């Protein structure tokens, strides 16, 4: 489930933290790195159950309204389309989801105010209002609404604050996890009783990819920086930010350590990551430097690719 890009981001963050903190225990930092990968998978479940919590709150509102001393017609005859949403019911009844939530002690019981805020915000969206106004009830309508709910979370400052409070390891993970949830929902059908939960890693090689990339980039950090200096001689050293050098060094580790990953994939991924985790002009700088480094490493025979289309 976790994309290689997210795994690369986890590696670069772990390297940054290790080097900037002056840590000297590589194994401890690697353990923290793998814990952050586990937490990213936890976030999938933590976010997936949010609409369940929101509909429970909506149901509580309906129940309280019915108990008024002088309930209105609307109080006694509420629109239950949202609380009866079929897709949310599948998520709520999923054994796979509930087992993970229980095993990892996840959930939102400590954040009732967040649930109230999310309900209030979503209830004001055009998607929710249009959904509630239609008398028709179809599985596709239900799924579309849930998809809109997850998309709306990207704009929620309240959710961002709550996630930061729960775990610092969830910083910046929400967009990637939301995309994974939307992919899970895309294959959901009315005949299904379970939502398909993807495995943590897309392939068996991914855990080793994370560890090897971290170890190679860290162990060879100084030698990679010396190598980079040969291609940045005309640049003012003070203007080259730490993250740029770290990204280039980690890209070198990937280029020289993974024969099955095409050079273009490595370059595209790290240049894209630099757009979000370094300065505005970093991607252009890193692109230019990496082009020269790839040519040099290839000439030296240090980049060796194996497999169809990689040679």
């Amino acid at each position: 489930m976790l994309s290689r890009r997210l795994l690369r981001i986890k590696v670069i963050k772990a390297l940054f933290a290790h080097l900037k903190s002056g840590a000297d225990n590589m194994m401890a930092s690697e353990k923290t790195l793998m814990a952050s990968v586990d937490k990213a998978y936890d976030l999938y479940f933590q976010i997936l159950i949010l609409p369940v919590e929101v509909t429970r709150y909506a149901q509580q509102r309906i129940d309280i309204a019915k108990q008024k001393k002088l309930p209105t017609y609307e109080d006694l005859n509420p629109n239950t389309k949202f609380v009866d949403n079929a897709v949310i019911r599948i998520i709520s009844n999923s054994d796979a989801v509930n087992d993970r939530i229980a095993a990892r002690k996840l959930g939102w019981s400590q954040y009732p105010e967040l649930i109230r805020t999310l309900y209030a915000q979503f209830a004001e969206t055009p998607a929710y209002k249009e959904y509630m106004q239609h008398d028709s009830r179809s599985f596709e309508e239900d799924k579309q609404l849930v998809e809109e709910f997850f998309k709306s979370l990207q704009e929620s400052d309240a959710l961002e604050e709550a996630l930061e409070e729960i775990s610092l390891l969830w910083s910046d993970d929400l967009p990637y996890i939301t995309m994974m949830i939307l992919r899970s929902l895309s294959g959901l059908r009315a005949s299904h009783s379970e939502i398909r939960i993807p495995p943590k890693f897309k392939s068996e090689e991914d855990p080793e990819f994370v560890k090897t990339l971290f170890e190679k980039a860290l162990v060879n950090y100084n030698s990679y920086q010396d190598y980079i200096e040969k291609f940045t001689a005309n640049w003012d050293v003070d203007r080259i930010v730490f993250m740029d050098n770290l990204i280039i060094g980690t890209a070198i580790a990937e280029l020289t350590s993974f024969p099955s990953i095409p050079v273009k994939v490595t370059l595209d991924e790290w240049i894209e990551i630099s757009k979000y985790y370094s300065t505005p002009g970093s991607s252009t700088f890193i692109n230019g430097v990496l082009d020269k480094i790839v040519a040099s490493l290839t000439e030296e025979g240090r980049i060796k690719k194996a497999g169809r289309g990689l040679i």
Side-chain angles (χ1 to χ4, degrees):
M1 183 194 84
L2 302 180
S3 68
R4 279 283 177 96
R5 177 170 298 176
L6 181 56
L7 296 179
R8 288 180 175 94
I9 290 171
K10 292 294 183 183
V11 168
I12 203 71
K13 285 186 174 182
L15 288 168
F16 186 93
H18 181 95
L19 293 167
K20 281 296 188 180
S21 68
D24 58 3
N25 189 328
M26 184 178 74
M27 296 309 296
S29 294
E30 184 176 296
K31 186 177 180 180
T32 301
L33 164 62
M34 298 312 293
S36 74
V37 173
D38 287 340
K39 288 297 290 183
Y41 193 52
D42 282 345
L43 184 59
Y44 173 91
F45 295 89
Q46 185 82 354
I47 297 301
L48 184 61
I49 63 169
L50 262 178
V52 176
E53 297 296 331
V54 171
T55 53
R56 285 175 181 165
Y57 171 69
Q59 182 64 61
Q60 291 172 2
R61 286 170 54 91
I62 290 173
D63 294 340
I64 291 172
K66 287 181 177 180
Q67 295 171 11
K68 289 179 181 178
K69 288 185 178 180
L70 296 173
T72 64
Y73 176 84
E74 288 74 17
D75 291 334
L76 297 174
N77 299 275
N79 184 341
T80 62
K81 191 174 181 182
F82 180 51
V83 297
D84 291 335
N85 185 288
V87 173
I88 297 176
R89 185 166 59 251
I90 290 174
I91 296 172
S92 178
N93 294 333
S94 169
D95 290 336
V97 174
N98 291 324
D99 288 349
R100 180 76 181 191
I101 294 296
R104 299 288 289 182
K105 295 181 173 60
L106 305 173
W108 298 100
S109 60
Q110 302 301 313
Y111 295 87
E113 184 58 38
L114 171 65
I115 301 304
R116 288 193 290 269
T117 298
L118 292 178
Y119 171 78
Q121 291 175 342
F122 190 57
E124 291 300 315
T125 63
Y128 178 87
K129 291 179 178 179
E130 183 178 352
Y131 171 82
M132 296 297 281
Q133 287 171 0
H134 289 175
D135 293 333
S136 62
R137 293 184 180 227
S138 72
F139 189 83
E140 283 305 310
E141 280 184 316
D142 285 354
K143 185 162 72 171
Q144 287 174 11
L145 182 80
V146 176
E147 289 172 345
E148 289 300 323
F149 174 82
F150 284 117
K151 292 175 184 177
S152 73
L153 296 179
Q154 303 291 336
E155 310 299 324
S156 176
D157 293 336
L159 176 59
E160 183 178 346
E161 291 175 7
L163 292 177
E164 289 177 357
E165 183 178 328
I166 297 171
S167 176
L168 292 175
L169 296 177
W170 281 340
S171 175
D172 302 331
D173 287 354
L174 183 58
Y176 298 94
I177 296 305
T178 302
M179 187 183 302
M180 294 302 102
I181 290 174
L182 292 174
R183 287 179 181 173
S184 295
L185 291 177
S186 67
L188 198 60
R189 300 291 181 267
S191 58
H192 294 172
S193 58
E194 270 277 356
I195 183 170
R196 190 186 71 82
I197 302 299
K200 183 190 307 181
F201 296 108
K202 289 185 175 181
S203 71
E204 295 179 355
E205 292 80 19
D206 281 355
E208 195 60 32
F209 168 77
V210 175
K211 294 178 182 178
T212 301
L213 182 59
F214 176 78
E215 292 169 2
K216 294 288 186 180
L218 187 56
V219 170
N220 298 295
Y221 176 75
N222 290 327
S223 62
Y224 288 159
Q225 296 307 308
D226 291 340
Y227 195 79
I228 293 169
E229 284 185 13
K230 296 192 301 182
F231 302 94
T232 57
N234 296 327
W235 285 78
D236 182 351
V237 176
D238 293 333
R239 293 183 60 192
I240 303 176
V241 299
F242 176 80
M243 182 58 89
D244 286 1
N245 278 332
L246 184 57
I247 287 175
I248 295 171
T250 309
I252 293 174
E254 183 173 325
L255 287 164
T256 56
S257 304
F258 298 94
S260 64
I261 301 178
V263 170
K264 186 178 187 305
V265 169
T266 296
L267 297 185
D268 288 348
E269 285 294 294
W270 286 109
I271 291 167
E272 192 64 26
I273 289 171
S274 72
K275 294 177 182 178
Y276 296 93
Y277 291 92
S278 199
T279 64
S282 290
S283 60
T284 301
F285 167 72
I286 290 172
N287 188 19
V289 174
L290 279 177
D291 279 345
K292 296 175 183 177
I293 287 177
V294 166
S296 181
L297 290 173
T298 301
E299 186 177 341
E300 295 168 15
R302 293 174 61 185
I303 293 181
K304 298 177 181 179
K305 298 299 177 181
R308 186 175 181 180
L310 300 180
I311 301 175

